Amino acid sequence: MKMPRAARATGFVLGAVVAVVRRWRPRPLHPTGTVLGGTLRLDVDGAPGAAALGAPTTHPVTVRVSRAAGLPAPLPDVFGLAVHWTVDDRPQDILLSATGLGRVTRFLLAPRFRPLGGGFGTLMPFRDLDGRPVLLAAAPAGTRPRGRRSTGTTALVGTDLVLLSAHPGERWRRLGTLRCGRAVAGDAPRVDPVRHVPGELGTYPWAAALRAPAYRAARTGSLASGERD
């Protein structure tokens, strides 16, 4: 099929670029950031993806807020939001990037000056239990959280984000809440939303082909496959 072949070729190129960058810094993307404790509360049964994620439930999570290119504030950058937790010792990862939230802009990266200047989205869809694609996003709550105008990655300390889900082309529906707590010492686990797809969500082969080489290169500096969880 043309799409998987094109996805594999594009994924290989992206992975090669990441492998080159990794030669001079351990984290090719999102090199520095702020690690927070937090809570992921899934509390809406009927939202897209809710059944696959096990809603309603609550998970303690580790959140890492970072700048994709590592540019210093106040320069604009694509902020990233990595969320990690475990269920029965199985890692679960969601990687969100600064995006728009419109029907088209949810698929576009959005460089910005402040991490809380807009929403965060998964860009690529997961596969829901019914086989339909589903996107996840997080957006600042309606209240103005402390540090909303901050340009640093500590801006999310003590803030709540509304977790959203939607089928492509459809409106967002509330799925739950991501509560970001205090900053914690140390670094967060490296997230891999291809190998550690959350809950019972699935991933599409073309999306895995696009993303897996870059994540593998970021972890190991190599494009070689064959790793196991």
Side-chain angles (χ1 to χ4, degrees), residues 54 129 223:
L129 292 177
L223 294 178

Side-chain angles (χ1 to χ4, degrees), residues 99-221:
T99 64
L101 294 177
R103 284 178 168 80
V104 174
T105 59
R106 65 183 64 174
F107 299 106
L108 301 175
L109 293 172
R112 59 178 65 129
F113 293 96
R114 305 184 305 277
L116 289 172
F120 299 84
T122 51
L123 284 175
M124 295 186 189
F126 295 102
R127 187 177 62 248
D128 206 350
L129 292 177
D130 59 4
R132 295 184 66 187
V134 59
L135 296 159
L136 302 180
T143 57
R144 296 182 66 85
R146 180 184 63 186
R148 184 165 185 166
R149 298 192 64 80
S150 172
T151 60
T153 55
T154 59
L156 272 75
V157 172
T159 66
D160 288 351
L161 299 175
V162 180
L163 190 67
L164 305 166
S165 65
H167 298 300
E170 298 183 5
R171 67 180 180 86
W172 293 107
R173 295 182 60 183
R174 185 178 179 278
L175 179 61
T177 303
L178 175 63
R179 175 160 292 177
C180 300
R182 297 180 179 180
V184 298
D187 206 353
R190 287 182 183 265
V191 300
D192 190 329
V194 176
R195 297 196 306 162
H196 304 154
V197 179
E200 298 302 319
L201 292 172
T203 187
Y204 289 96
W206 63 266
L210 274 173
R211 305 173 79 177
Y215 289 120
R216 188 182 307 123
R219 291 194 309 272
T220 68

Side-chain angles (χ1 to χ4, degrees), residues 41-110:
R41 180 176 176 81
L42 303 168
D43 55 14
V44 178
D45 281 331
L53 289 170
T57 189
T58 301
H59 301 287
V61 298
T62 301
V63 181
R64 186 175 189 267
V65 190
S66 58
R67 288 170 166 263
L71 299 176
L75 294 176
D77 207 332
V78 176
F79 288 90
L81 193 63
V83 185
H84 172 85
W85 72 99
T86 60
V87 175
D88 297 329
D89 296 324
R90 185 170 77 89
Q92 319 268 306
D93 293 333
I94 297 176
L95 182 59
L96 303 159
S97 298
T99 64
L101 294 177
R103 284 178 168 80
V104 174
T105 59
R106 65 183 64 174
F107 299 106
L108 301 175
L109 293 172

